[in-house]
Amino acid sequence: MLVQTRGWRAALLYISFLSLTLVLWRHRGPVAGKLTEFATRGEQKPETAPPPPAEKDEKPVVELGRQYPSRPPNCQASLDWLKELPEEVHLPIKYARRDIIVRSNPMSKRESITKINDSLFGDFQTIDPANPKDFTLNNCPSPLILDVPTYRKTPTDASHLLFGAATNLERLGPSIPYFQRWLAHTGARMFIIVTGPNDSEPDHKQMDKIQTHMRSLGMLVTLVPPFSKKDNSIERYFSLVKILYANRDAKTRWICWVDDDTFVTSMTHLVSALAQHNASEPLYLGAYSEEWNTVVMYGLIAMGGGGVFLSVPLVEAIEPHYANCRDNSKMNFGDHKLWECISRHTQARLRLLDGLYQIDMHGDRSGVLENGRPILTFHHWKEGYWSEDGAGADMIRHQRWFPLDRMSLATEICDTCFLQRFQFEPHTLLVNGYSISLYPQGELQKPRSESRFDLMEETWVTPVVVPNSANAGWDHYVGPTRRKLELEVEKVPFRFLAAFEVQGGVRQYYRHWGREGEVDSVVELFWVREEEWGESGSGNRDGAAGGGTNTTFVGSGSGSGNGNGSGNGNGNGNGTRAV
């Protein structure tokens, strides 16, 4: 009986299905199409004609993990590019390279460390003067794709910022390329008080010549003599209150003090940081010294080297008290005098702007630059770098300046990626524009609770200890630190050596100093934007690949090119993740 009932039910369902199908067939529509698709699923469909081939000038869509359109593999190149390297680099050297294609991705964020499931470069190859003029790289890895936050294709609009500085003509000259890197073509204006040697009257013809030169480089700079001939260096710094306020315009929102050795690492980052504050209120923005002893001595003030940023309403409030503040001060530094006047005549108190670095640290500052946190300003770049007792791990002397104008060239490609950290397999950490470090004892693979790469590595000299203080020296600003790793054992450093703009991209060199008779090792990274790499054409790509400076890219797989590091690249972008 049970079997008979099931049979009747099956028959009724079948009859209902046939009836519904007949109705839908008579009234063809979307539902009928879906049912027909369901009923015929699995049947062989008739072949359709292939889509027409893409036009030659049509750029193919590139997805993560897909092979990137490029030229055929060809690592042949000349050795002419070696002429770019500083004289201190002597052949033979061990050499490796990689092309890095930067792709703008609005979903990408700058994290403390971005992990890439790929190696940064291949095996090293020895380059010797005895080699022929042309050579072939035995290990020629395909280009690497890196997704970065959306970058600007034009300079950031900073026309609402008005900067001021005080220096002498002798110190200003070497600072010009550094000012150019962050100030040019942004619309920000700058007034610089200048003197001659030993605070003498400046040479006005020389002032005009330097001002004309700086403006020709895209900087809206005006050089002015001291506000008063009697002013000393402290009073000149403070007199910017008068000069800058008098020269504000309708766009001005922030009036900013910097030194001639203050470097803004990214105008985009600075403008974004200031935008988090209401410039219509009387605001005093800046940062403490990193050294607790300095804070204890001078108080909770904004240190001038890291930058001091006042809203126009605050400058408007203190400007009428200029003479009183100038003549009745107990302060021995210009930034201290500025704070004194603000605290006497307004209710404004210092509001911290994270990322400003006074750099009251000495010795090897690698821990600061390699920390992964966005750095807005970096002071004391004229003091020397990578230095421990006169010579750092790379045997670079203390008196050599931080080449921040060259180090930061990566911003031409990826805007805010300068000093961004990328971790590669198996144990490599790139700090863009500063270093490549290898960790042969597995420091990068340790659990976060053990390695603590979120903390600064305390590479610099021990601070002056404040008696009876719980602050170890840097806790109030950089936070707790992690121990310094032993160089060449736990950490093998490749320090930034040089960088050059070539047609369409930026070429960087990093060097590891040869030890105990070994030759130096040099890594070349060529950074280029996706849209530049994909340009169609043909020709010699030496500028990107290491020979000469003229770069013609080959895109969409067409044409031919000559250059090491070339090839049909695997994007590797599917291995990007952040920690």
Side-chain angles (χ1 to χ4, degrees):
M1 184 66 180
L2 181 61
V3 175
Q4 185 177 4
T5 302
R6 288 181 176 174
W8 278 105
R9 287 178 179 174
L12 288 171
L13 287 172
Y14 183 72
I15 292 171
S16 299
F17 177 79
L18 290 178
S19 300
L20 178 61
T21 303
L22 181 61
V23 171
L24 291 174
W25 183 80
R26 288 178 177 175
H27 304 279
R28 294 178 180 86
V31 177
K34 289 293 182 182
L35 281 176
T36 303
E37 179 185 349
F38 175 78
T40 59
R41 189 175 296 166
E43 297 182 20
Q44 185 175 1
K45 296 183 179 180
E47 293 185 1
T48 57
E55 297 294 332
K56 289 185 179 181
D57 59 349
E58 181 181 346
K59 296 181 182 179
V61 176
V62 181
E63 298 178 5
L64 285 173
R66 298 288 184 88
Q67 284 193 332
Y68 203 93
S70 181
R71 57 203 177 283
N74 183 355
C75 293
Q76 191 77 12
S78 76
L79 294 177
D80 290 344
W81 60 271
L82 291 172
K83 297 176 183 177
E84 290 182 340
L85 297 178
E87 294 180 358
E88 63 198 61
V89 179
H90 303 288
L91 296 178
I93 60 172
K94 294 178 181 178
Y95 170 76
R97 73 174 310 279
R98 191 74 180 270
D99 291 322
I100 298 179
I101 301 171
V102 173
R103 177 162 49 198
S104 178
N105 184 344
M107 301 301 292
S108 180
K109 295 181 180 180
R110 175 168 173 162
E111 307 287 350
S112 175
I113 296 179
T114 299
K115 289 189 176 181
I116 310 296
N117 294 329
D118 192 4
S119 57
L120 177 58
F121 50 84
D123 295 336
F124 285 93
Q125 179 175 339
T126 300
I127 297 178
D128 191 279
N131 284 359
K133 183 177 181 180
D134 292 333
F135 75 103
T136 300
L137 280 180
N138 298 325
N139 192 322
C140 183
S142 57
L144 175 75
I145 296 178
L146 287 185
D147 283 345
V148 299
T150 302
Y151 46 70
R152 299 182 59 86
K153 296 185 178 182
T154 57
T156 299
D157 180 9
S159 57
H160 60 300
L161 306 185
L162 178 59
F163 288 89
T167 185
N168 59 54
L169 291 174
E170 183 180 7
R171 282 183 60 91
L172 177 59
S175 299
I176 292 175
Y178 296 78
F179 281 133
Q180 181 187 1
R181 281 295 306 140
W182 59 267
L183 189 63
H185 308 296
T186 64
R189 295 180 298 134
M190 188 175 200
F191 284 78
I192 305 177
I193 301 173
V194 293
T195 63
N198 301 315
D199 290 350
S200 63
E201 181 76 13
D203 184 325
H204 288 269
K205 289 185 178 179
Q206 188 179 5
M207 284 176 60
D208 291 342
K209 182 178 179 180
I210 293 176
Q211 177 177 288
T212 299
H213 173 59
M214 295 183 76
R215 290 184 176 181
S216 73
L217 297 175
M219 292 178 276
L220 302 180
V221 170
T222 301
L223 303 189
V224 295
F227 188 71
S228 170
K229 293 183 179 181
K230 298 180 180 180
D231 285 349
N232 57 31
S233 60
I234 301 170
E235 292 161 343
R236 287 193 293 271
Y237 184 95
F238 184 67
S239 70
L240 287 167
V241 169
K242 277 285 188 184
I243 294 171
L244 296 179
Y245 184 71
N247 286 280
R248 72 194 187 284
D249 60 22
K251 292 183 178 181
T252 306
R253 294 292 178 270
W254 296 99
I255 295 180
C256 322
W257 276 253
V258 293
D259 288 350
D260 65 9
D261 58 347
T262 301
F263 188 83
V264 177
T265 62
S266 167
M267 186 64 89
T268 299
H269 268 157
L270 179 60
V271 168
S272 178
L274 291 172
Q276 306 305 310
H277 303 270
N278 187 354
S280 64
E281 299 176 357
L283 296 182
Y284 171 40
L285 306 183
Y288 310 134
S289 167
E290 304 87 3
E291 185 180 48
W292 183 237
N293 180 66
T294 302
V295 176
V296 171
M297 288 178 62
Y298 300 115
L300 302 177
I301 72 170
M303 302 300 286
V308 182
F309 302 85
L310 307 187
S311 63
V312 171
L314 182 58
V315 180
E316 183 178 20
I318 65 172
E319 192 271 345
H321 304 284
Y322 171 77
N324 178 271
C325 291
R326 179 196 59 197
D327 299 335
N328 297 283
S329 174
K330 299 178 181 179
M331 295 297 160
N332 296 320
F333 298 97
D335 47 3
H336 298 182
K337 184 187 285 285
L338 183 60
W339 163 80
E340 182 184 50
C341 191
I342 292 171
S343 63
R344 281 182 181 177
H345 299 286
T346 76
Q347 297 298 313
R349 295 298 178 262
L350 178 62
R351 182 181 293 184
L352 292 181
L353 190 62
D354 193 28
L356 308 181
Y357 283 87
Q358 170 73 13
I359 306 295
D360 282 337
M361 306 160 164
H362 304 283
D364 182 3
R365 288 81 168 264
S366 297
V368 178
L369 290 162
E370 294 177 339
N371 77 88
R373 308 170 196 173
I375 294 176
L376 296 179
T377 61
F378 188 88
H379 186 219
H380 286 154
W381 56 261
K382 290 183 178 180
E383 185 177 318
Y385 72 129
W386 306 328
S387 174
E388 297 171 0
D389 299 326
D394 297 61
M395 306 305 294
I396 298 175
R397 301 306 301 176
H398 178 79
Q399 62 267 27
R400 181 172 175 178
W401 294 347
F402 278 89
L404 284 166
D405 59 328
R406 302 281 95 192
M407 292 164 62
S408 64
L409 278 179
T411 60
E412 295 296 317
I413 306 301
C414 41
D415 195 14
T416 60
C417 67
F418 177 45
L419 302 179
Q420 185 172 354
R421 299 195 296 187
F422 298 93
Q423 180 179 336
F424 295 87
E425 300 293 342
H427 46 65
T428 304
L429 187 67
L430 165 67
V431 180
N432 189 9
Y434 184 73
S435 67
I436 299 171
S437 298
L438 310 182
Y439 295 87
Q441 295 190 355
E443 201 70 23
L444 282 175
Q445 280 70 40
K446 292 181 180 179
R448 181 176 179 179
S449 59
E450 295 182 26
S451 63
R452 296 309 306 267
F453 271 82
D454 56 318
L455 304 181
M456 282 193 191
E457 181 185 358
E458 194 168 331
T459 59
W460 51 89
V461 175
T462 303
V464 176
V465 177
V466 177
N468 302 317
S469 174
N471 190 326
W474 320 102
D475 298 357
H476 64 287
Y477 196 71
V478 306
T481 59
R482 57 187 171 92
R483 70 177 182 88
K484 180 180 179 180
L485 298 177
E486 184 179 354
L487 295 179
E488 305 301 327
V489 177
E490 297 175 288
K491 179 181 179 181
V492 180
F494 287 68
R495 303 295 195 197
F496 174 87
L497 178 64
F500 304 91
E501 286 187 88
V502 294
Q503 182 181 349
V506 168
R507 183 160 59 236
Q508 297 174 335
Y509 296 108
Y510 300 83
R511 179 186 63 175
H512 174 257
W513 189 275
R515 300 286 171 163
E516 299 179 357
E518 293 185 356
V519 300
D520 293 354
S521 297
V522 174
V523 174
E524 175 197 337
L525 299 179
F526 177 73
W527 296 77
V528 62
R529 289 184 175 182
E530 176 187 36
E531 57 268 27
E532 293 291 338
W533 182 273
E535 290 295 327
S536 60
S538 62
N540 189 319
R541 217 184 138 263
D542 283 348
T549 57
N550 296 320
T551 306
T552 304
F553 295 98
V554 180
S556 304
S558 62
S560 61
N562 183 7
N564 61 353
S566 60
N568 188 15
N570 188 327
N572 300 310
N574 58 337
T576 303
R577 59 190 178 92
V579 296

